[in-house]
Amino acid sequence: MTDKKNSLTYAQAGVDIDAGNALVRAIAPLAKATRRPGAESDLGGFGGLFDLAACNFKDPVLVAANDGVGTKLKIAIEVDKHDTIGIDLVAMSVNDLVVQGAEPLFFLDYFATSALDVERARDVIAGIAQGCQQAGCALIGGETAEMPGLYAPKDYDLAGFSVGAVERDEILPAPSIAAGDILLGLASDGLHSNGFSLVRKIVETTGLDWHAPSPFDDTTSLGESLLTPTRIYVKPLLQAIRATSAVKGLVHITGGGFQENLPRVLPDGCAAHIDLDSWPLPPVFNWLRQAGGIEDKELLRTFNCGIGMIAVVDAAHADAVTAQLKDAGETVHTVGQLQEDAQSLVTFAGQIGS
């Protein structure tokens, strides 16, 4: 029989089951606020339930995506601001779903940390719930893991998983994409969640403190300005797709920028020609370019440079799609066109930020 004087508990090893239970109770109303047709169950089961039949699809194809937030998390931890990073987590998955024409249905999160701080974790998950509401998907479950010794004190990591559905004959990109199609760029809300290892390196070399006034936004600190959450384009894009039937393809401008993401929708023999003079470069990118001495090619390959999503549309319907997106609150720029080109995939004209 174990000597009770020397017995150890899980809590003494650094894992607090009671804190985990307290977090589940704290986030239950947040998850409930994201309910939608198909998601009626409460948290607490071994798996999240979703009734696809309740969504009235005729011939659905499921689309799945997962992602994290990257080293943007380090800034949230440094600044001790955790209420928006969950929006980034949702955005990085649901924006990848909508580019295939899919409506996001549900979301699950994975939160891993050294020791669970219930208040901080609740702030993170409140952001996740807010992102789900913006995307119209339900938060149906998740997992919280305490792993002392694997993570440094106060550190945590996030992963997100989302599933959507699209009618089989409406999957994007459409086979009709061709030379002459117009590229409509939807404005970003800043850096979104890409390139933060370079951002952090630039901040380190400049010697700026995260709490110092932002050099590109005089209303807030550097850290808080860089934590502006990723824009979620789901509802405006689904509205434009359904209202016009004219969206042939969508491109989420994430890691790899224009050069790596646009080719995903291009048919053989076509190149995306981008007019860099067609939209203004937001101040954060101009500051990064100057402070880091970043060449334009590197800037375009690492960051979204102010364009978070690109829609490929037939030239005859470009005005109608633009009007739909603007009515839904998006800022839209005609950023280029598809051209016949057997040699290149993405070409640029003009000068960014001119």
Side-chain angles (χ1 to χ4, degrees):
M1 190 172 180
T2 303
D3 183 351
K4 292 184 179 180
K5 292 181 180 179
N6 297 317
S7 65
L8 293 172
T9 66
Y10 210 6
Q12 288 172 316
V15 179
D16 190 342
I17 294 175
D18 291 335
N21 291 334
L23 178 61
V24 172
R25 291 192 296 271
I27 66 175
L30 300 174
K32 190 173 183 178
T34 69
R35 281 182 171 174
R36 52 151 294 151
E40 302 298 336
S41 299
D42 292 325
L43 296 181
F46 286 98
L49 301 177
F50 191 89
D51 180 7
L52 185 59
C55 300
N56 298 317
F57 285 94
K58 297 175 182 177
D59 185 20
V61 174
L62 295 180
V63 185
N66 69 296
D67 210 336
V69 179
T71 59
K72 188 174 185 176
L73 277 174
K74 294 291 289 183
I75 301 175
I77 293 166
E78 290 286 343
V79 177
D80 196 23
K81 177 177 169 56
H82 311 280
D83 58 341
T84 61
I85 204 74
I87 300 174
D88 292 290
L89 184 68
V90 175
M92 297 307 289
S93 285
V94 298
N95 283 342
D96 279 352
L97 293 183
V98 76
V99 298
Q100 304 215 243
E103 173 187 341
L105 301 175
F106 59 85
F107 188 87
L108 299 97
D109 70 277
Y110 176 76
F111 179 99
T113 187
S114 57
L116 186 59
D117 180 324
V118 173
E119 183 176 351
R120 184 175 62 172
R122 186 197 176 281
D123 284 348
V124 172
I125 296 170
I128 293 172
Q130 185 179 347
C132 286
Q133 288 179 300
Q134 290 181 24
C137 64
L139 178 60
I140 65 170
E143 177 68 15
T144 302
E146 286 185 281
M147 292 184 277
L150 184 59
Y151 291 95
K154 296 188 178 182
D155 275 359
Y156 63 91
D157 198 7
L158 295 173
F161 311 84
S162 191
V163 172
V166 57
E167 297 289 3
R168 190 178 303 273
D169 60 356
E170 296 175 1
I171 296 173
L172 298 178
S176 58
I177 290 179
D181 288 344
I182 298 297
L183 302 176
L184 301 178
L186 281 65
S188 69
D189 284 341
L191 293 171
H192 288 182
S193 293
N194 297 105
F196 273 86
S197 293
L198 178 55
V199 171
R200 290 169 51 246
K201 187 66 175 178
I202 292 171
V203 173
E204 177 187 336
T205 58
T206 61
L208 286 173
D209 186 89
W210 297 115
H211 299 282
S214 172
F216 53 86
D217 181 354
D218 59 11
T219 67
T220 187
S221 68
L222 173 61
E224 291 205 6
S225 62
L226 290 172
L227 287 174
T228 301
T230 305
R231 189 171 186 84
I232 293 177
Y233 298 98
V234 170
K235 290 182 178 179
L237 286 174
L238 288 177
Q239 177 179 313
I241 289 169
R242 292 163 180 169
T244 67
S245 300
V247 177
K248 294 183 176 184
L250 295 167
V251 181
H252 187 196
I253 306 299
T254 57
F258 294 82
Q259 296 96 314
E260 303 297 327
N261 289 294
L262 277 162
R264 298 186 187 197
V265 302
L266 297 177
D268 291 341
C270 256
H273 179 72
I274 303 296
D275 178 7
L276 296 175
D277 296 321
S278 61
W279 77 92
L281 185 69
V284 60
F285 300 103
N286 198 41
W287 176 75
L288 287 168
R289 177 169 63 176
Q290 293 176 0
I294 304 174
E295 295 182 0
D296 286 355
K297 181 180 179 181
E298 183 72 10
L299 198 75
L300 289 162
R301 190 180 182 188
T302 305
F303 302 110
N304 66 61
C305 295
I307 300 295
M309 186 75 71
I310 289 178
V312 183
V313 301
D314 186 282
H317 303 288
D319 289 344
V321 175
T322 298
Q324 281 288 333
L325 291 169
K326 287 184 175 180
D327 286 347
E330 298 300 321
T331 300
V332 184
H333 305 279
T334 300
V335 299
Q337 190 173 28
L338 298 190
Q339 299 178 346
E340 291 184 2
D341 189 334
Q343 304 299 318
S344 306
L345 291 175
V346 182
T347 62
F348 297 99
Q351 184 174 354
I352 189 168
S354 59

